[in-house]
Every structure is written in C-alpha cells, then in structure tokens.
Amino acid sequence: MKFIKASTKRTPSELFDILADNERVSSGVKFADKKGGKPFMHVKQNGEKIKIKCEMMGRPTKDNGFLMGTVFYGKIKEKGGVTTVSGIILTSPIYHIIMLILAAILIVRSIMLSSISSIPILVFAIAFELMFFMDEFRKQGYIQRYIYRAVRRLEQ
C-alpha cells in the first residue's frame, strides 16, 4: 500500500490527459523487468475520481491481476490554481483481506487450543504471499513512478 500526492499548476483536464497518454509518459523509459514486458496503465476517470490499473504488456505469459491486481484509487482536485492528484495504491485487496481473516482465525484457534503447531502454517502463508505476489507488489512502484513522471512531463 502506497499513498501518492503530486501537484501541478496545470488544469485537471490537462493532468488527466497526460495520465491517460501512456506513450507520452513512458517514452524513453527503460524498464528492468527480467521477464520482459512493459507496464501499461489503464486510466479511467469518473468526475474527480481516477483509477489507474497496471498491466504488463509484451510478456510471454498473460498478466492476470489475480482478484483485482494492482490499482491506484485517487482524486484529481483543483484548489487555488494548484491541481493535485492524490490517492492510494492497493495490491489485490480482496485476496489480502481474505488471507488476514484466515490468519486471525488460525491465531484465535491456536490460542483456544493452546497449540503451537500452527506457526509453521503461518510461516508458509507469508512465504506464499511474498513468492507469488512479488510481481504484483513491483507494480506499485511502476504506478507511483508513472504518476510522478506524468506530473514532471506536464510541467515541461
């Protein structure tokens, strides 16, 4: 989870236009993804609200975004001549909520039964999270840099 806040003196429509233009924002940027591919941002706007979803394009395998993928939820607001885009980047929130609930149930049950044998299960679950979702967590940085790069290029 990352919180983003970037400001510019341009109008909200200009900021949204550059956020929606992947070619303009990502031109000349090299990505060090070992599996190949280039991040592509799907940008949707609903009034002030903005949603940016990251998808890796050009890979030999399909980027599925398991149970929602990595998404930026935010707002574009203008106040006093300064336009601000602010929001939060979340990675697979539905999946992680389910995992937290299951971990809480496991901890409560192990306390009730005075069982220490559930600790290896929790260690395995944490290892599973890190191993299988490392690629999704990497997308948080891609979205963050994309937004800041868009604001910098808008200022130029």
Side-chain angles (χ1 to χ4, degrees):
M1 175 179 356
K2 289 188 178 190
F3 294 96
I4 305 293
K5 189 168 189 173
S7 301
T8 182
K9 294 189 187 277
R10 301 291 182 107
T11 65
S13 61
E14 288 176 313
L15 181 57
F16 177 75
D17 288 342
I18 195 162
L19 285 171
D21 189 359
N22 276 283
E23 290 301 318
R24 184 173 169 195
V25 176
S26 297
S27 65
V29 179
K30 294 185 180 182
F31 297 98
D33 189 1
K34 295 173 185 150
K35 297 177 185 174
K38 181 178 177 182
F40 183 84
M41 305 300 163
H42 299 280
V43 182
K44 293 181 183 175
Q45 184 180 25
N46 185 8
E48 282 186 346
K49 295 180 182 179
I50 187 169
K51 177 181 173 183
I52 301 174
K53 184 171 183 177
C54 180
E55 181 181 3
M56 297 301 283
M57 305 297 273
R59 285 187 170 180
T61 58
K62 176 77 172 128
D63 186 20
N64 63 3
F66 181 71
L67 285 179
M68 203 162 145
T70 302
V71 182
F72 169 79
Y73 294 103
K75 291 184 177 184
I76 296 177
K77 295 181 181 178
E78 183 178 22
K79 186 175 184 180
V82 176
T83 303
T84 304
V85 58
S86 61
I88 186 170
I89 301 173
L90 297 173
T91 297
S92 306
I94 296 170
Y95 173 78
H96 288 94
I97 289 170
I98 293 169
M99 289 302 287
L100 287 173
I101 291 170
L102 289 175
I105 291 170
L106 188 63
I107 290 170
V108 168
R109 292 291 297 162
S110 65
I111 291 171
M112 289 174 52
L113 298 173
S114 300
S115 172
I116 300 177
S117 64
S118 62
I119 293 174
I121 295 171
L122 287 174
V123 170
F124 176 75
I126 292 169
F128 175 82
E129 286 271 333
L130 293 175
M131 190 170 66
F132 288 104
F133 284 92
M134 194 57 80
D135 194 40
E136 283 296 317
F137 290 128
R138 191 175 300 120
K139 289 180 186 179
Q140 289 183 358
Y142 288 149
I143 294 174
Q144 179 183 17
R145 289 189 303 272
Y146 181 84
I147 292 170
Y148 289 135
R149 189 178 325 114
V151 170
R152 274 195 322 270
R153 292 195 177 179
L154 182 62
E155 292 292 324
Q156 294 176 352

